[in-house]
Amino acid sequence: MLIDPKLHQPAGAVPAQPPARTAVKIDGVSKSFDGTLALEPSWLKVRKGEFLTLLGPSGCGKTTLLNLVAGFLEPDKGELFIDDALVTQVPVHRREIGIVFQNYALFPHMDVVRNVEYGLRTRGVAASEARARAMETLRLVKLEQFADRRPRQLSGGQQQRVALARALVIRPKVLLLDEPFSALDRNLRAAMQIELKEIQQGLGVTTIFVTHDQGEALSMSDRIAVMSKGRIRQIGTPEEIYASPADRFVGTFVGDANLLNGTVTARESGTLTLDLAGTSLTLPESAAPEAGAGAQVELFARPEACRLVARGTPGALPATVSFAVYQGAHVELHLACPAAVDGQLMLRLPVGNLPKVGEAVAVALPEAPVVFTGASQ
């Protein structure tokens, strides 16, 4: 007799979820080139079936970290695990990973199906099975009708799908993608993002994706590791990274941000009082638990979280309209504001009746803006 465990749960109880398995473990890994530190000691766990993005500007260490996972580089220190197996000294071809490069790296003298089956043939898979699996994977990426074409006869997006099929056909434990869409135009890039995410979710393949494009990372990832200067600055869901950045770099690199200079003037009864260029603002003490009276802080607020209010509203910042940028679904309103770090605020507002250039306005910040102290910047 089968028993439904849900019937034996206390009212309102949430069924216990098994802990997520770790597909990739990066344990204190670091790397230097000619005495220059490219990657500080880093710790990261990628969950089974997860789409994790390494996001950061050029030279931040994200590709170095990807190459360490792939096996193209050997770490100076630390260890790497795939499915709990130590692979630090294991060569690339024995790590059971699929890799998609920025330049596709297809063999120009081979047709599409032979490009896709290449990895299987080098692993000793029989020709008939290799061909069948290659065609199956080409159907997955919607290219089976191009099996006998050469790469030069395909568009950039089609070549990228061939590269993806070649990486997936070996049924990898981990899929690695290094800026795979950077050579594509905007519309094709957006279409490929959707297609890749659908394939990844359908197969449940653990994926590590490298990009410098914040929008790409936010739209595709289960989690994001933001990097700069060889260091992982924050790991979190797209929502966590966007709404609650760990420091100034993360907040300003991922999306648009307003930064304001503030000075703590009082700390009492669970509240924190700040002076913002003459405007007094009261926040919960938890907004900056380590900042005492006299401390210099920066307030962080997204443009869409700020709003225009009546002049004289307590806590609202005086500002003057500089210019407006029409963006179709919304307008970006740029304001001169003495409290802003660079003297400018930007609000993202619905299209409609907006103040004119030169008009004096007042801006209300979100109720709980993120506060960066000197230690967090």
Side-chain angles (χ1 to χ4, degrees):
M1 176 180 177
L2 294 176
I3 299 175
D4 186 348
K6 294 179 183 178
L7 299 178
H8 298 269
Q9 298 267 351
V14 177
Q17 298 294 321
R21 288 182 56 200
T22 298
V24 178
K25 180 181 177 183
I26 297 163
D27 191 9
V29 167
S30 65
K31 184 66 181 177
S32 296
F33 298 101
D34 298 324
T36 299
L37 188 63
L39 181 70
E40 293 186 9
S42 301
W43 289 261
L44 177 63
K45 290 182 179 180
V46 186
R47 301 161 185 159
K48 194 80 170 177
E50 180 176 35
F51 192 113
L52 182 130
T53 295
L54 303 177
L55 172 67
S58 298
C60 72
K62 57 187 185 295
T63 296
T64 297
L65 184 53
L66 191 82
N67 285 333
L68 287 164
V69 175
F72 296 127
L73 296 174
E74 187 174 324
D76 299 332
K77 295 180 180 178
E79 294 180 324
L80 291 153
F81 299 82
I82 294 178
D83 278 358
D84 296 326
L86 181 65
V87 297
T88 310
Q89 304 293 330
V90 175
V92 178
H93 65 278
R94 292 179 53 201
R95 293 197 182 191
E96 297 184 69
I97 55 175
I99 307 171
V100 179
F101 300 99
Q102 182 176 340
N103 63 355
Y104 316 143
L106 300 177
F107 298 114
H109 63 287
M110 294 183 182
D111 59 24
V112 165
V113 70
R114 285 197 296 154
N115 262 281
V116 174
E117 68 183 15
Y118 178 80
L120 296 174
R121 299 292 291 272
T122 60
R123 286 166 170 79
V125 176
S128 58
E129 182 183 349
R131 180 57 56 96
R133 283 171 60 177
M135 290 303 299
E136 176 188 356
T137 310
L138 283 173
R139 281 191 288 275
L140 179 68
V141 298
K142 304 172 185 176
L143 283 180
E144 68 272 20
Q145 70 271 34
F146 298 102
D148 60 353
R149 301 269 184 98
R150 294 289 177 90
R152 65 176 180 273
Q153 298 174 297
L154 304 178
S155 67
Q158 290 168 337
Q159 290 183 49
Q160 188 58 274
R161 293 207 294 273
V162 174
L164 178 61
R166 185 177 59 184
L168 292 172
V169 74
I170 64 171
R171 297 168 185 168
K173 291 181 177 179
V174 183
L175 176 65
L176 306 178
L177 304 108
D178 187 10
E179 301 270 10
F181 306 139
S182 60
L184 305 179
D185 63 52
R186 181 179 177 181
N187 290 341
L188 182 54
R189 184 173 186 146
M192 283 298 300
Q193 290 168 8
I194 294 171
E195 188 168 335
L196 173 60
K197 186 62 178 177
E198 288 178 342
I199 291 171
Q200 186 268 336
Q201 288 181 328
L203 296 177
V205 60
T206 304
T207 301
I208 302 177
F209 183 89
V210 163
T211 186
H212 65 275
D213 187 301
Q214 303 95 319
E216 194 166 74
L218 290 171
S219 64
M220 298 182 69
S221 311
D222 296 316
R223 285 192 303 156
I224 300 170
V226 183
M227 300 182 66
S228 77
K229 298 180 180 179
R231 181 159 63 93
I232 297 176
R233 308 292 291 255
Q234 184 176 0
I235 304 169
T237 65
E239 293 81 4
E240 290 167 345
I241 297 291
Y242 188 80
S244 303
D247 58 28
R248 192 182 199 269
F249 172 81
V250 175
T252 55
F253 184 76
V254 181
D256 296 313
N258 291 312
L259 287 173
L260 301 112
N261 290 313
T263 303
V264 178
T265 58
R267 188 184 196 92
E268 56 187 7
S269 303
T271 62
L272 194 69
T273 303
L274 305 178
D275 175 71
L276 305 173
T279 298
S280 181
L281 183 67
T282 301
L283 298 175
E285 190 176 32
S286 57
E290 69 278 22
Q296 301 297 309
V297 298
E298 286 184 346
L299 271 71
F300 165 92
R302 296 292 183 193
E304 63 274 13
C306 301
R307 55 194 176 88
L308 295 177
V309 294
R311 294 170 61 187
T313 299
L317 301 170
T320 304
V321 178
S322 299
F323 61 94
V325 179
Y326 177 70
Q327 295 286 355
H330 66 269
V331 171
E332 292 179 353
L333 193 66
H334 293 257
L335 312 168
C337 177
V341 168
D342 60 358
Q344 290 283 323
L345 292 181
M346 193 258 279
L347 274 62
R348 195 167 283 129
L349 302 171
V351 177
N353 187 21
L354 298 172
K356 297 178 173 57
V357 172
E359 185 174 340
V361 296
V363 177
L365 300 176
E367 291 184 5
V370 175
V371 178
F372 298 139
T373 63
S376 67
Q377 293 174 30

